[in-house]
Amino acid sequence: MPGGSIYVQRDEKFTGNSAQWYYEKYWHEDARSRQRLRAVKGVIALAGAFWLAMRLDLTGAVFYALGAGLAAAGLDWYLSWRSYRATAVWRGRRRGELVTGRLLRRSLRGHRVLDGRAIRGQASIDHLIIGPGGVWIVDNESWSPDTEIATYGGRLFFGEKYGTAVAKPLVETAAAFAELLTRETGIPVQIGTLLAVHCGQLPRRGLVAAEGVTLAKPRLIARLVRRTVNQVLTEAQIEVLARTAARELQRVG
């Protein structure tokens, strides 16, 4: 294969045929247009602030105007940068499980977070969380920025596609994890299923729940875990479940 390797599988995210490649190409090509528009916004803010300062007879009107112009340009740059950075996982520039893992450990005091776990020979998950309010599995996914994630009639949709193919394996994996932990510990376990969405259009409140799975932005996952009580676990039960999971669940990745 010209320019490639027979030993390394090509990642479609970095080829000229992928949506990610075109997204980055057009983003960089549009840089000058964004800069011109940013300058226009800064000048408008500068002129407006100067006019207002003069009308209010404020001393140092020029400094107010310069500050407003720089603030407007800076805000426009930040919003543009944040929009681009939000696609990093989808573009293959960041690993979603690492992003979510850091957020979980930073926010979930009193919880055990195990990364990259699987029942031998079955599907794996990115994070297993065990805490006072119960047990959760968390996986990470990313779709193109224009993919609308919504529910209709109790069903999950990604754009015009049904989401059952994404939700069903997660629900089945949660059931398998719960069965294993219950059998090995004697503690009846119920597992909540969460999906961290790194790119894609979620509703304004940032989460969607359907077909047994709750989808949310990564920053909201820890908040959902803290606020939701699937079952009440004592510190001793949390310890037993965490040790059993570490022993019985295969580490992947």
Side-chain angles (χ1 to χ4, degrees), residues 25 34 42 69 88 97 109 124 129 135 153-154 177 207 216 229 238:
K25 178 178 183 292
R34 291 195 303 273
E97 64 272 21
R109 303 284 177 86
S124 63
I129 304 172
V135 184
F177 275 41
L207 62 88
V229 179
I238 293 172

Side-chain angles (χ1 to χ4, degrees), residues 158-180:
F158 300 107
E160 297 180 355
K161 297 180 179 179
Y162 290 116
T164 303
V166 173
K168 186 178 179 182
L170 285 177
V171 173
E172 291 175 346
T173 300
F177 275 41
E179 181 183 358
L180 183 147

Side-chain angles (χ1 to χ4, degrees), residues 137-185:
I137 64 169
V138 182
D139 237 19
N140 294 271
E141 287 291 348
S142 190
W143 288 269
S144 62
D146 59 349
T147 300
E148 182 182 358
I149 303 170
T151 60
Y152 301 100
R155 298 200 65 176
L156 182 63
F157 284 84
F158 300 107
E160 297 180 355
K161 297 180 179 179
Y162 290 116
T164 303
V166 173
K168 186 178 179 182
L170 285 177
V171 173
E172 291 175 346
T173 300
F177 275 41
E179 181 183 358
L180 183 147
L181 291 175
T182 298
R183 183 177 68 247
E184 295 296 327
T185 64

